[in-house]
Amino acid sequence: MKANYYSYTLNFKQPSGTSRGILKTKETWFLVLKNEDKTGVGECGMFKGLSVDDRPDYEETLGWVCLNINLGLDKLLAELAEFPSIQFGLEMAFRALKSKKHELFPSKFTKGQDVIPINGLIWMGSERFMKAQIKNKIKAGFNCIKMKIGAIDFDTEIALLKSLRKEYTSNDIELRVDANGAFSPNEALEKLKRLSKLDLHSIEQPIKQGQIEEMAALCDITPLPIALDEELIGVFSVTEKQKLLQTIKPQFIILKPTLVGGFQGSDDWIVIAKQHNIDWWITSALESNVGLNAIAQYTYKKQNKLPQGLGTGGLFTNNFESPLLVNKGCLHYDIKKQLTFKL
């Protein structure tokens, strides 16, 4: 077997705002495995400034993987515990080698017979820009909307959510908010109280990760269900994962396979979450359609009924052709189309 890696820069159709700043491009890497006449492609979508494997030796590690590909998947995964995005790329590539037409997890979804409900994502920006996005998502048939908050004035964000609630009740539209750790521990509870009056589903990561005691205290008394997101990044062993969820006791966790060690890492979190009666959903992390295709297929097999965070395929000008299609608030798999990987 031979392996190579390639870097690729995805360009956003329009700059996308988060609490970490404005994103115009997203760098990603692809592992390409070749075994006789078969090819397997995996995406290592390390997220600069967020991934635990955002390290100076990242590309050097990809090179080491290519030189040592014949160690096999299990040994490589064990060696790469601190590189979750490379673990995910490897899992994807090895599965792709054995699959036909990038069908990594055959199911009713990949046969075009079922769909995955997803949330419509509202990016940060001016009030006018955010209102326009909300209007477009509702018009497109979404009944679950996730709004990123924490970058503009909080009162303005509250006013936006209030205006949405005046038009649509929680029976019409499920509202999620994602603070990306934007609140300080001192102000978080008061802000959660204000948000809870708007009949929201949940808030993701209200305070920055790593403040375990503060997050545990917040989850204990919160008037609004809290979902851990960034908090899961960099927690490698099953023992550490158990300890984190036992200590914080969140209402939800959010799994980004690229950031938590791929399919295997996500499976570990799901097993532990179920033990503690914690619900979960899966979200993409700005991968190209190569990674998104794998995440969507894996997600469907998990049969989680909550809306998932998988509607990011249309963000880039230079994405790859894909069978994934968003229609009426759901992700569909168009069997007439194939994933076309060309660099």
Side-chain angles (χ1 to χ4, degrees):
M1 190 189 303
K2 291 185 178 179
N4 287 294
Y5 79 89
Y6 306 89
S7 66
Y8 189 76
T9 300
L10 294 157
N11 300 311
F12 281 85
K13 288 178 181 175
Q14 58 186 26
S16 298
T18 74
S19 58
R20 295 183 193 87
I22 306 295
L23 301 174
K24 295 180 181 177
T25 60
K26 166 69 170 63
E27 191 173 13
T28 194
W29 291 262
F30 295 101
L31 275 172
V32 180
L33 310 185
K34 293 197 175 177
N35 193 10
E36 296 174 353
D37 60 339
K38 293 181 179 178
T39 301
V41 179
E43 181 169 4
C44 306
M46 186 268 282
F47 199 134
K48 288 189 174 176
L50 179 60
S51 295
V52 71
D53 48 11
D54 180 9
R55 300 168 29 163
D57 59 345
Y58 188 82
E59 288 209 43
E60 183 184 322
T61 303
L62 281 171
W64 177 88
V65 167
C66 292
L67 288 172
N68 292 278
I69 199 67
N70 289 310
L71 286 173
L73 181 60
D74 291 341
K75 285 186 178 178
L76 287 169
L77 291 178
E79 290 285 336
L80 294 162
E82 295 182 6
F83 292 87
S85 67
I86 300 179
Q87 286 181 316
F88 187 34
L90 275 165
E91 285 182 309
M92 210 184 303
F94 271 89
R95 272 191 174 266
L97 266 182
K98 297 175 183 176
S99 72
K100 294 179 181 178
K101 300 179 182 178
H102 299 277
E103 195 178 0
L104 309 189
F105 294 89
S107 66
K108 284 186 177 181
F109 176 67
T110 58
K111 301 289 185 291
Q113 296 166 1
D114 205 357
V115 299
I116 303 172
I118 59 173
N119 61 238
L121 182 58
I122 307 302
W123 292 91
M124 290 173 173
S126 67
E127 182 181 1
R128 185 179 174 185
F129 173 62
M130 291 173 84
K131 273 185 175 176
Q133 289 181 83
I134 291 167
K135 189 177 178 182
N136 288 338
K137 293 296 180 191
I138 291 170
K139 192 176 177 183
F142 284 91
N143 53 23
C144 177
I145 287 176
K146 170 181 160 179
M147 187 170 122
K148 287 187 173 285
I149 62 172
I152 62 175
D153 177 67
F154 186 65
D155 288 333
T156 303
E157 290 169 340
I158 289 283
L160 261 175
L161 290 163
K162 274 184 179 175
S163 67
L164 190 54
R165 270 290 170 253
K166 279 181 185 175
E167 273 192 77
Y168 303 96
T169 70
S170 56
N171 291 325
D172 302 319
I173 299 288
E174 180 180 286
L175 278 176
R176 301 171 175 174
V177 291
D178 181 3
N180 283 131
F183 302 161
S184 73
N186 295 336
E187 67 182 2
L189 183 58
E190 195 53 43
K191 288 189 170 181
L192 292 183
K193 285 177 181 176
R194 290 183 67 186
L195 288 165
S196 70
K197 293 173 184 175
L198 299 167
D199 207 2
L200 306 183
H201 173 269
S202 57
I203 181 167
E204 294 179 32
Q205 203 69 43
I207 64 174
K208 280 192 174 68
Q209 72 263 42
Q211 302 175 92
I212 307 298
E213 289 180 14
E214 293 86 345
M215 186 67 92
L218 205 54
C219 286
D220 188 40
I221 58 172
T222 182
L224 177 62
I226 289 173
L228 299 188
D229 181 358
E230 289 90 343
E231 203 72 63
L232 310 186
I233 297 170
V235 184
F236 299 125
S237 74
V238 171
T239 304
E240 287 176 318
K241 292 171 183 178
Q242 280 274 15
K243 186 180 176 183
L244 183 80
L245 295 191
Q246 281 175 345
T247 303
I248 296 179
K249 298 183 179 71
Q251 286 72 39
F252 298 97
I253 60 170
I254 295 167
L255 302 169
K256 293 184 168 82
T258 291
L259 303 182
V260 301
F263 307 130
Q264 190 172 298
S266 298
D267 284 347
D268 289 344
W269 280 114
I270 289 168
V271 168
I272 297 165
K274 284 180 178 176
Q275 290 169 358
H276 295 284
N277 296 313
I278 296 166
D279 216 337
W280 53 273
W281 67 88
I282 294 172
T283 301
S284 53
L286 301 180
E287 298 85 0
S288 77
N289 278 333
V290 175
L292 185 60
N293 179 58
I295 294 169
Q297 292 185 36
Y298 167 77
T299 299
Y300 181 81
K301 294 288 277 191
K302 292 295 165 186
Q303 288 294 290
N304 183 305
K305 300 304 178 187
L306 292 173
Q308 309 293 305
L310 304 175
T312 55
L315 291 174
F316 308 112
T317 59
N318 58 337
N319 213 337
F320 305 97
E321 288 295 319
S322 164
L324 300 177
L325 169 72
V326 177
N327 187 33
K328 294 182 179 176
C330 291
L331 191 65
H332 300 246
Y333 196 95
D334 185 348
I335 58 170
K336 295 175 186 173
K337 293 184 179 178
Q338 288 187 33
L339 184 66
T340 307
F341 176 76
K342 288 180 183 178
L343 290 175

